[in-house]
Amino acid sequence: MPGPANKRSVNADTAVKKICAAAVIFLSTVCAAAVSAEMQKVSTDELERRLDASLVERGELANSVDCPDELDKKKGAQVECAAVFLGLEQILTVTFNGIDGDLINVQVTERPRRVTPFGLANLLKTFLDELGIPADSIDCPDALNADKGSQVECAVVRNGLGYTATATSNGANGNTVDVNYVVPEKPSWWPRDGLSGHIQAVLKEHRGISPDSADCPDKLDIDDGSEVECTFVIDGLELTATLTSNGGKIDLLTAENPNRLTQEGLVKRVTQAVTEVTGQSPGKVECPEEGLTAEVGEIQRCVVSTGADEFGVTVRVTGVEGGAVNYDITRSK
């Protein structure tokens, strides 16, 4: 990836000012939960509702508030709730301080627990934009714990190449989490979508064929010798394509014969056969989703509807050679 040296850092005090501003809660906030003094516990729903309302009153809009446990109506009792503010998750410690008339007074203190995947991706996007190397997409699958030394990896795609960025927590700093990013200068993989597009482009350019679709189950590492098996479909026939990394380029090897007739390919061929025999196109043809395996002797059954008449047909593979699948279609008894 073009840009400055590969070691980057971002401090949440500067890069997440908006997050920090939204996450600040007074360390000695006293909230009043209007519940009956005769109740033995404050319910989780009531705690969440009151905490959320208290935050709104102070101009702090949380994306979510979650209190997994009820609060005992006993002086000094505590529960922990979690609130998310623009990607920063805070732990809110709620302490029961007694009863004042019909009100239960609780004290709330907070500390950062982790940066959510959404927050990490947004921070990394801002960081890369500021360096002048914007990404096409960023995916951080896991949250980053606030504990110093915690790490997670994020996938960054830029110009059709994939980079693995590492986010490291430098620990909580007040109401913030300091995060250091390391983004390598060289890519380490090709993304799935790019591989599918590569298959279609190569087949069209070198063989003059345009696949209906192509699909790769995983990314391809750039390390020499790395492989991934993909599939592509031409006129309802599914074939395998093996992609191999070779010196920073991708070698493409396709199977000679198809793996199967897809459901769409099977429906198309049954429709053509029925039309040729009856002189009329059937109103509806239904075939199993898995299609028909391209091996001699394999069979599949479909249901044909032609107005008031409905009947079954059997499709049997009689041969597979030269990239073609030969078959017989007969009406089921």
Side-chain angles (χ1 to χ4, degrees), residues 217-236:
D218 202 356
K219 61 187 180 183
L220 174 64
D221 290 336
I222 286 182
D223 295 337
D224 283 356
S226 296
E227 288 186 351
V228 63
E229 280 198 353
C230 306
T231 57
F232 63 96
V233 177
I234 298 177
D235 190 29

Side-chain angles (χ1 to χ4, degrees), residues 12-332:
D13 285 332
T14 56
V16 282
K17 288 181 179 178
K18 292 183 179 179
I19 292 179
C20 299
V24 172
I25 303 175
F26 293 106
L27 297 183
S28 297
T29 301
V30 176
C31 305
V35 295
S36 170
E38 297 178 357
M39 296 179 61
Q40 297 302 309
K41 295 179 182 291
V42 182
S43 71
T44 58
D45 288 344
E46 182 68 10
L47 276 174
E48 292 169 359
R49 187 173 69 83
R50 291 294 173 177
L51 284 173
D52 191 47
S54 177
L55 293 170
V56 171
E57 289 174 2
R58 290 164 176 77
E60 309 293 344
L61 183 61
N63 298 108
S64 65
V65 176
D66 178 44
C67 297
D69 300 310
E70 296 178 326
L71 176 63
D72 287 330
K73 195 185 67 176
K74 179 180 178 182
K75 189 172 179 62
Q78 292 184 332
V79 294
E80 287 190 345
C81 301
V84 176
F85 302 87
L86 297 176
L88 181 64
E89 184 180 85
Q90 301 276 358
I91 294 299
L92 310 180
T93 302
V94 184
T95 305
F96 180 79
N97 279 344
I99 301 174
D100 183 8
D102 293 330
L103 300 179
I104 294 177
N105 295 327
V106 294
Q107 185 178 37
V108 180
T109 58
E110 53 82 26
R111 69 181 190 277
R113 180 166 74 174
R114 61 182 182 173
V115 183
T116 67
F118 171 81
L120 275 178
N122 273 354
L123 283 173
L124 184 51
K125 178 181 183 305
T126 300
F127 172 61
L128 294 174
D129 286 346
E130 290 175 351
L131 291 177
I133 48 175
D136 300 325
S137 67
I138 298 175
D139 178 39
C140 300
D142 301 309
L144 176 67
N145 289 332
D147 298 335
K148 186 174 183 178
S150 297
Q151 289 187 332
V152 296
E153 290 185 342
C154 298
V156 178
V157 176
R158 174 176 164 77
N159 296 330
L161 296 171
Y163 302 77
T164 301
T166 303
T168 304
S169 171
N170 289 331
N173 183 7
N175 295 326
T176 72
V177 178
D178 294 338
V179 182
N180 181 78
Y181 285 104
V182 176
V183 183
E185 294 184 355
K186 293 183 179 180
S188 53
W189 44 272
W190 285 283
R192 287 181 56 194
D193 292 346
L195 295 177
S196 299
H198 178 77
I199 293 172
Q200 293 177 313
V202 170
L203 292 177
K204 183 175 183 179
E205 180 180 354
H206 297 285
R207 303 187 190 178
I209 54 178
S210 298
D212 302 323
S213 64
D215 179 63
C216 295
D218 202 356
K219 61 187 180 183
L220 174 64
D221 290 336
I222 286 182
D223 295 337
D224 283 356
S226 296
E227 288 186 351
V228 63
E229 280 198 353
C230 306
T231 57
F232 63 96
V233 177
I234 298 177
D235 190 29
L237 294 172
E238 180 189 88
L239 294 95
T240 296
T242 301
L243 303 183
T244 305
S245 179
N246 183 7
K249 297 182 179 180
I250 302 175
D251 291 340
L252 171 65
L253 178 66
T254 60
E256 179 181 355
N257 291 318
N259 305 318
R260 67 184 180 110
L261 264 171
T262 65
Q263 181 185 39
E264 293 78 7
L266 200 53
V267 168
K268 177 181 178 180
R269 285 158 176 78
V270 170
T271 299
Q272 290 174 338
V274 172
T275 301
E276 290 175 1
V277 172
T278 65
Q280 293 183 337
S281 179
K284 187 177 183 181
V285 175
E286 295 179 298
C287 297
E289 184 177 354
E290 64 269 22
L292 174 62
T293 302
E295 293 181 7
V296 175
E298 288 293 319
I299 63 173
Q300 193 56 275
R301 292 179 174 81
C302 301
V303 177
V304 179
S305 299
T306 57
D309 191 16
E310 182 176 289
F311 56 91
V313 297
T314 299
V315 185
R316 183 187 302 273
V317 178
T318 59
V320 182
E321 57 183 345
V325 177
N326 301 317
Y327 52 87
D328 286 335
I329 300 178
T330 57
R331 181 163 177 164
S332 303

